[in-house]
Amino acid sequence: MKETNIKKYFYQILAIFAALLLSFSIAQISVQAAAKPGTVKLSSIKATDYNKINIKWKKTSGATNYIVYYKKAGSGKWIKVKTLDNKKSSYTHTSSSKNPIVVGQKYVYTVKAYSKKTKKYGKYNSEGLLAKTNPKPATCISVAVKNGVVNIDWNKGNGADKYIIYRKTSENGKWVKIATVSDNQYTDTQPVAKHDNYYTVRSYYSKTKAYGPYNKYGVEVYVNSYTPIITPKPTEKPDNPKPTEKPQPTVTPEPEVPTPEPTHRPNAAEINQMAQEVIRLVNIERAKVGSAPLQYHEKLQQAAMVRAKELNTLFSHTRPNGTDSSTATYEAGAGGSTGENIAMGYATPQDVVEGWMNSPGHRTAILTKASFYIGVGIYQNDAGVYFWAQDFADNNVDKKCTLTIDANGGNFSDGSTTCLIQFPYKFHISFASDVPQPTRAGYKLSGWSWYGDNIPGMRITINTKIKAIWEPIN
């Protein structure tokens, strides 16, 4: 073959190769230009409120936007909720008329990546993540005993139309449903007598049978089956007047409550002697049934003195401020309250102990082996009437429990992010009033989390921890 022909064929082949190479490069550029963004990997989903659901995801390559979709569980059609820029990796969907969230309904969420450059969507998790919203819990539950019944009040929870009241008679007992109401109060007319009664309230949405969270510890109150007022022995009635020839109507005097007329008001030393005599007489009665003697405790004594004076204002196991009598024990710094006895009108330790022992309910409180410590309070009012209080506690009287309070991104008034407070054993803590409230710029404090549960308070029996819950300020 001539040399000129060889060159000719060589240049032809070279031109064909160059054309193929250019075509392949152009095809590659076209493919790259039309590439889709990556697949979004969903991380977690959580109902943060009764009408809010938060979903989180991992960022992916090639995305300029992320689009959030949701649908009712079991439905086939995805509904677009929100388009976000590629800096976002989470979104909280709040119920609206356009995209509603119904309490108790289950919803599925997913996220797609989108590229504005190629106008392409990435692949997505077609199964999505499932979430369900529940009503908010009933909060600030309070109980009070009056005339043998227990009155229960609470703050309503958003998203609830019913409230279920439960009761148990020991810390580790089983909750028993006693009522379902639509209001935010209930009266238990048949509490368990001679026992601590624990109550809790659970919010409920009847249309979807959705339950809200609840206080697992409950609120405790001691219920005595007997009328709290103990009257002294009646004095002898005067002789009936002899009838005249024409009988005249006579008025029988009502039984009198004797009010002693002391020559002087007892001083502190005399009050202390009377209190010690009550304790001595109580321990004599305990010895008869094999119960160990009760030990005097200074803090229980302080609580009992407070309670004796309060009885002059309100003769009840409910204090004038509306709280249960045991709060006086905890305020004095003593724990493990096991109950209280009260009386009025008796002038001596011997008389009041005899009166208590003649009342089965008060007798039980004196003799129970559950108590180890005692304090006795005595108060005499201006009319000379004595008021008596016995406060009892178990062997946890000096036990303290530490509550660690985590500001969770906020700060307390001293600039710290964590606060530790010691409370007496079994003290009922209200997170709204008994713990310091942190602040956080751009957020408002919406509650407290205890191991994932949003609760308003607790009866503390162990060292434990709570964490602040924040909501962004719109």
Side-chain angles (χ1 to χ4, degrees), residues 428-466:
H428 187 269
I429 306 169
S430 167
F431 296 154
S433 59
D434 296 325
V435 303
Q437 306 296 294
T439 58
R440 182 179 177 185
Y443 291 83
K444 65 177 181 179
L445 184 66
S446 65
W448 294 92
S449 173
W450 182 73
Y451 295 101
D453 290 334
N454 185 344
I455 58 175
M458 66 167 61
R459 185 173 290 278
I460 190 166
T461 55
I462 57 173
N463 296 335
T464 191
K465 180 178 179 180
I466 60 173

Side-chain angles (χ1 to χ4, degrees), residues 261-452:
E261 297 181 2
T263 56
H264 71 283
R265 300 287 292 273
N267 58 33
E270 291 170 324
I271 289 291
N272 182 62
Q273 286 180 344
M274 295 168 72
Q276 292 299 326
E277 179 63 10
V278 169
I279 296 173
R280 187 185 73 83
L281 294 171
V282 160
N283 284 333
I284 289 174
E285 298 298 333
R286 288 176 64 87
K288 293 177 183 178
V289 296
S291 293
L294 296 176
Q295 301 298 313
Y296 166 85
H297 196 278
E298 183 180 0
K299 291 179 179 178
L300 283 177
Q301 180 72 12
Q302 293 174 11
M305 289 298 292
V306 170
R307 288 290 298 130
K309 189 172 183 179
E310 289 179 344
L311 296 177
N312 184 46
T313 302
L314 177 64
F315 193 84
S316 170
H317 290 294
T318 299
R319 301 178 68 188
N321 64 8
T323 63
D324 179 74
S325 60
S326 64
T327 60
T329 300
Y330 301 126
E331 287 171 4
S337 173
T338 54
E340 175 184 79
N341 276 344
I342 60 177
M344 64 176 287
Y346 293 99
T348 68
Q350 292 78 9
D351 288 343
V352 73
V353 172
E354 182 180 352
W356 276 325
M357 290 301 294
N358 288 333
S359 167
H362 298 87
R363 175 187 173 90
T364 298
I366 287 174
L367 301 180
T368 178
K369 294 183 179 180
S371 297
F372 292 85
Y373 295 90
I374 187 175
V376 177
I378 304 166
Y379 176 76
Q380 186 187 49
N381 67 12
D382 292 337
V385 177
Y386 280 97
F387 294 86
W388 306 76
Q390 290 178 316
D391 283 325
F392 306 97
D394 60 24
N395 56 7
N396 293 294
V397 66
D398 293 316
K399 182 177 179 180
K400 303 293 183 183
C401 298
T402 301
L403 179 68
T404 302
I405 309 163
D406 183 356
N408 192 23
N411 294 93
F412 296 103
S413 58
D414 62 356
S416 63
T417 59
T418 303
C419 178
L420 277 68
I421 302 180
Q422 285 194 324
F423 292 96
Y425 178 77
K426 291 181 72 175
F427 180 85
H428 187 269
I429 306 169
S430 167
F431 296 154
S433 59
D434 296 325
V435 303
Q437 306 296 294
T439 58
R440 182 179 177 185
Y443 291 83
K444 65 177 181 179
L445 184 66
S446 65
W448 294 92
S449 173
W450 182 73
Y451 295 101

